């Protein structure tokens, strides 16, 4: 068999091996994106604690997060989310017991950085005004935020936020893990779903 002039077998092998390495690397890098994309295409399974269709507002954890926020939380090192109907995590235990929020769902995120617990519940329509008078003695600062009252407290690595009004309760407890404007964005999503 005759050789074609100008062809170098060694060079061809080197280029072939480099091309194969680039293709394998790109394949490995796209696996997380493909699995996330497929997860977004399939319908989300019903979570325990979901309410019936007649209930206004969000019915599962996923309803609280925009796509960018969901992705940022999921890709935090060691991040996992568990949905439950656990009572709100708060240092204002007596206040929580007095209002007795009917929990729709509680989303608990854990990661290598810390934990975040967010509860969406139903409460009396006067819960906002009760929070504004009952929580400041417990170290919370409260402000009116439209049709709801937002009370928050920081103590070292712990940041707590409770928003109540119009029959909705959203509370967030963050320990060590503080995504930008997390509590406000989650509460806005819960109140916008009404």
């Amino acid at each position: 068999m005759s050789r074609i002039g100008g062809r170098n077998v060694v060079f061809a092998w080197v280029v072939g091996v480099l091309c194969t390495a680039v293709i394998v690397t790109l394949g490995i890098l796209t696996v997380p994106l493909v699995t996330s994309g497929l997860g977004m295409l399939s319908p989300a399974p019903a979570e325990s604690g979901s309410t019936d269709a007649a209930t206004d507002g969000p019915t599962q954890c996923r309803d609280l997060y925009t796509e960018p926020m969901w992705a940022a939380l999921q890709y935090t090192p060691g991040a996992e989310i568990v949905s439950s109907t656990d009572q709100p995590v708060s240092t204002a235990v007596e206040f929580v017991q007095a209002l007795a929020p009917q929990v729709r769902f509680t989303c608990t995120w854990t990661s290598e950085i810390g934990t975040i617990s967010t509860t969406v519940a139903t409460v009396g329509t006067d819960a906002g005004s009760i929070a504004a008078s009952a929580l400041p003695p417990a170290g919370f600062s409260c402000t009116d935020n439209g049709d709801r009252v937002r009370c928050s407290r920081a103590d070292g690595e712990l940041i707590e936020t409770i928003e109540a009004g119009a029959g909705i309760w959203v509370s967030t407890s963050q320990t060590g893990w503080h995504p930008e404007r997390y509590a406000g964005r989650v509460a806005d999503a819960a109140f916008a779903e009404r």
Side-chain angles (χ1 to χ4, degrees), residues 52-66:
D52 62 9
T55 304
D56 291 336
T59 58
Q60 61 181 345
C61 292
R62 186 63 184 90
D63 296 338
L64 297 177
Y65 306 101
T66 62

Side-chain angles (χ1 to χ4, degrees), residues 65-91:
Y65 306 101
T66 62
E67 291 296 330
M69 188 175 185
W70 179 257
L73 291 168
Q74 277 192 316
Y75 289 111
T76 300
E80 292 182 17
I81 184 171
V82 174
S83 179
S84 67
T85 55
D86 294 346
Q87 288 297 308
V89 174
S90 178
T91 57

